[in-house]
Amino acid sequence: MVIVWLVLTLVVVAMGYVRLAPSDPVEWHQMPDQPQVKDFANGVIRVVETGPNGLAELDAIATATPHTERRFGSVEDGMVTYVTRSLVFGFPDYTTARQAGDTLEIYGRARFGKSDLGVNRARVEGWIDALQPG
C-alpha cells in the first residue's frame, strides 16, 4: 500500500511540475538564426510566404486554438510565442512565429521529452493551411 501512495505522490508532483514550471523567455521566445523548413523528433520549422500580415493572421488562428495562449511577444513586436498544452496532462509545446518581410517563420517544439509524436507538425501545418486563401 505504501508503494501505491508513493507512486501516486510522484505522479501528482510530476504533473504539478509540468503545469507550473516557469517559462524563461530567453530560452523559449527565440527563433533559429536562419530558419529553414525542417522536421525533427520533437518539433518543426516552417517558412511560408504570407505577405506582410501573416503574423497578425496567424495570431488570430493560434489564439482561437483550444488550450493555446500567447505567452511572449506581440504582433506589433514582429514575434510571438504561444504555448499549447495537451488536454490530459497539460504538457506544454512552444510555437514561436516571426514576421520577416513577406515571410512568416514558425518554430514549434515540445518542452518535455525527446519526441512529440508529430503533434507540433500537425498543429503548425494546420495553422498554415488556415492561412491559405480558401
Side-chain angles (χ1 to χ4, degrees), residues 100-116:
D102 288 343
T103 302
L104 186 61
E105 303 163 342
I106 307 170
Y107 177 33
R109 65 267 190 218
R111 176 168 181 174
F112 298 106
K114 294 183 181 188
S115 173
D116 69 357

Side-chain angles (χ1 to χ4, degrees), residues 4 13-14 18 34 39 45-46 51-52 60 63 66 68 71 76-77 81 84-85 94-96 98 102 121-122 126:
V4 171
V13 167
V18 164
Q34 296 182 354
D39 289 3
I45 298 173
R46 295 292 184 263
T63 55
T68 301
R71 189 58 172 260
E76 294 76 23
D77 293 341
T81 298
T84 305
R85 292 190 175 272
Y94 291 78
T95 306
T96 302
R98 176 173 62 191
D102 288 343
R121 183 177 75 202

Side-chain angles (χ1 to χ4, degrees), residues 59-131:
D59 185 67
I61 293 164
T63 55
T65 301
H67 314 288
T68 301
E69 66 179 22
R70 192 180 307 109
R71 189 58 172 260
F72 307 114
S74 68
V75 173
E76 294 76 23
D77 293 341
M79 188 163 85
V80 181
T81 298
Y82 306 92
V83 176
T84 305
R85 292 190 175 272
S86 64
L87 180 61
V88 176
F89 293 106
F91 288 109
D93 290 333
Y94 291 78
T95 306
T96 302
R98 176 173 62 191
Q99 189 75 49
D102 288 343
T103 302
L104 186 61
E105 303 163 342
I106 307 170
Y107 177 33
R109 65 267 190 218
R111 176 168 181 174
F112 298 106
K114 294 183 181 188
S115 173
D116 69 357
L117 303 174
V119 171
N120 281 291
R121 183 177 75 202
R123 181 178 40 261
V124 168
E125 290 180 355
W127 289 356
I128 291 169
D129 289 346
L131 282 172

Side-chain angles (χ1 to χ4, degrees), residues 42-62:
N42 70 342
V44 297
I45 298 173
R46 295 292 184 263
V47 179
V48 184
E49 293 299 319
T50 61
N53 296 321
L55 184 58
E57 293 170 14
L58 183 76
D59 185 67
I61 293 164

